[in-house]
Amino acid sequence: METEQVNRVMGDEEKERARGVGKKRKVRYTGLFIRLVALLLSLAAAIILGLDKQSKVVPITLVSTLPPIKVPVTAKYHYLSAFTYFVVANAVASSYGAVVLILTVANRGSKAGKLAKAIIILDLIMVAVLASANGAAAAVGYLGHEGNKHVRWNKVCNIFGRFCNLVIVAVGVSLLGSLSYIFLIVLAVLSVHKKH
Amino acid sequence: METEQVNRVMGDEEKERARGVGKKRKVRYTGLFIRLVALLLSLAAAIILGLDKQSKVVPITLVSTLPPIKVPVTAKYHYLSAFTYFVVANAVASSYGAVVLILTVANRGSKAGKLAKAIIILDLIMVAVLASANGAAAAVGYLGHEGNKHVRWNKVCNIFGRFCNLVIVAVGVSLLGSLSYIFLIVLAVLSVHKKH
């Protein structure tokens, strides 16, 4: 009688396990897809702001009795520390994404163990790094657009319109990238909890 | 024979479970403590920058043949959008922390289920919000300290020294707060994984 019960329990467990494996595989493929998207978005954000450059000739009046002098001015990401941080953070996030993608595909047969834990924690760090980079770039971009009369910082986006628009695009793309990393962690947390 | 085996397995499982309960309790108390720290740090950061204010009388030369006019100027957090975002983000994080602390203490007897999942995901969102707020405030604070010749934004921290120093303190405290939320997620992820 007890042996039978044990067998029945075992059968149920096996079925449960088979169902679990199917779900696990689905979660893994979804994870791989989101990771690829995150990688590409971070890479795109780094490239958009990294290559963003605008040169203009601006007339500057030094002495009111003389005609204005034409000065060539250029906008580049590395003129502002926040933009440099943004490009570096997105480059790091996309490189990290590529390494994890290769590791995940290479280890697809093995059990999710310490590596899976490490990946969740590193994903979390990427979310924090990308979010801070987005915050920094958005804050400086906003100042460029609006200026600030309290600290007497004039807006510069009326001069560098194209540069500023590409900053907005880069921040938007990077924001989607950091959201993808958030989704990856949510997926991992939910899939682990489901097994209980 | 098989019955004995079943009993032995049951005994081991019970021991394992008892050990698990002890570990779980330890993890829960550590979690509660870190959550309290996170709450207090976010609250402190919001209060430090929220109450930060410095007034100064600055001599401004309008016409070179006349003596400079003395103009009173004030620095406050809501003069810069990045600082407003910082104060709001930290206020939200500390309020959220207080709600979760109350919920966790109230539900300490019940099993960790959907609520635990929801808390991990909300903690993750807090990390992203706090990190972006830190990035924004740090970027603007850096510009205030150093200025930027490319966009002709003059530094203002030579005038508002005390205000700027408190901005640095607030960003540092908020950074520790966001690290506490990161630790909470790491703790949750590791404790869930340990059970397998």
Side-chain angles (χ1 to χ4, degrees), chain B residues 66-98:
Chain B
L66 290 174
I69 301 166
K70 287 187 175 172
V71 180
V73 284
T74 305
K76 262 188 207 171
Y77 81 92
H78 67 252
Y79 287 169
L80 281 154
S81 313
F83 290 161
T84 306
Y85 176 54
F86 179 90
V87 171
V88 171
N90 273 285
V92 167
S94 61
S95 313
Y96 158 79

Side-chain angles (χ1 to χ4, degrees), chain A residues 184-195:
Chain A
L184 277 173
I185 301 172
V186 170
L187 197 72
V189 167
L190 293 185
S191 71
V192 165
H193 272 269
K194 251 180 207 164
K195 287 181 223 162

Side-chain angles (χ1 to χ4, degrees), chain A residues 2-3 6 60 79-82 113 116-117 120-121 124 127-128 131-132 135-136 139-140 142-144 148 150-156 182 185-186 189-190 192-193 195-196, chain B residues 2-3 6 60 79-82 113 116-117 120-121 124 127-128 131-132 135-136 139-140 142-144 148 150-156 182 185-186 189-190 192-193 195-196:
Chain A
E2 258 173 359
T3 318
V6 169
I60 292 175
Y79 287 171
L80 282 154
S81 312
K117 277 191 232 179
I120 296 175
I121 293 167
L124 179 59
V127 169
S132 63
V140 172
Y142 182 80
L143 280 171
N148 189 291
H150 297 286
V151 286
R152 298 185 184 195
W153 292 342
N154 294 318
K155 55 179 159 187
V156 287
I182 288 179
I185 301 172
V186 170
V189 167
L190 293 185
V192 165
H193 272 269
K195 287 181 223 162
H196 293 274
Chain B
E2 257 175 1
T3 319
V6 169
I60 292 175
Y79 287 169
L80 281 154
S81 313
K117 275 192 234 180
I120 296 176
I121 293 165
L124 179 59
V127 169
S132 62
V140 173
Y142 182 81
L143 280 172
N148 189 292
H150 297 287
V151 286
R152 297 184 186 197
W153 291 343
N154 295 319
K155 55 179 159 189
V156 287
I182 289 179
I185 301 172
V186 170
V189 167
L190 293 185
V192 165
H193 272 267
K195 285 181 224 158
H196 291 274

